[in-house]
Amino acid sequence: MYPVELIANLHGDIPASRIYELLELVGLKDRSKSKVKTFSLGMKQRLGIARALINDPDFVILDEPTNGLDPQGIREVRDLIRFLNAEKNITFFISTHILSEVEQICNKVAF
């Protein structure tokens, strides 16, 4: 299944332009015709974030968003979260046991 089809199937009333906008936002626009099974774990994480953003939420919960990623993938997801918070005013609630990751992403912490 293609990423565009995957997102569209979850929400039948979302215009294709919104889906392509989200794929561009998470850095997957060039892979819109690729099968999801060919994606790296980092690409799948970013696709998951795009899916979470489909309805333009103010608040998103992420569970271990950098789990299993290589250093480049961790940076990409971390930068994406920071960008979405700063530019789109989206609040993220991140569940993780990696305290160094919390320190690099979050501006408020709860235990």
Side-chain angles (χ1 to χ4, degrees), residues 5-99:
E5 293 172 343
L6 180 65
I7 295 172
N9 287 341
L10 293 173
H11 305 276
D13 58 343
I14 303 298
S17 60
R18 173 70 177 154
I19 295 168
Y20 285 108
E21 173 189 338
L22 289 170
L23 290 176
E24 183 170 15
L25 182 68
V26 299
L28 295 174
K29 180 182 171 192
D30 294 341
R31 299 295 302 265
S32 66
K33 298 295 182 193
S34 299
K35 297 219 179 254
V36 175
K37 69 181 181 181
T38 67
F39 281 18
S40 68
L41 183 56
M43 293 166 76
K44 288 177 183 176
Q45 291 288 71
R46 289 184 282 137
L47 180 61
I49 292 172
R51 289 173 47 198
L53 299 175
I54 196 80
N55 291 321
D56 200 23
D58 294 326
F59 184 79
V60 175
I61 299 171
L62 299 175
D63 182 29
E64 304 266 355
T66 59
N67 186 38
L69 300 182
D70 63 9
Q72 178 63 30
I74 291 170
R75 277 190 298 276
E76 289 171 357
V77 169
R78 189 185 304 142
D79 291 345
L80 178 60
I81 292 168
R82 280 196 212 112
F83 170 81
L84 292 168
N85 174 253
E87 298 297 320
K88 304 290 186 180
N89 202 29
I90 298 172
T91 299
F92 288 90
F93 183 94
I94 299 172
S95 170
T96 184
H97 66 280
I98 305 170
L99 297 181

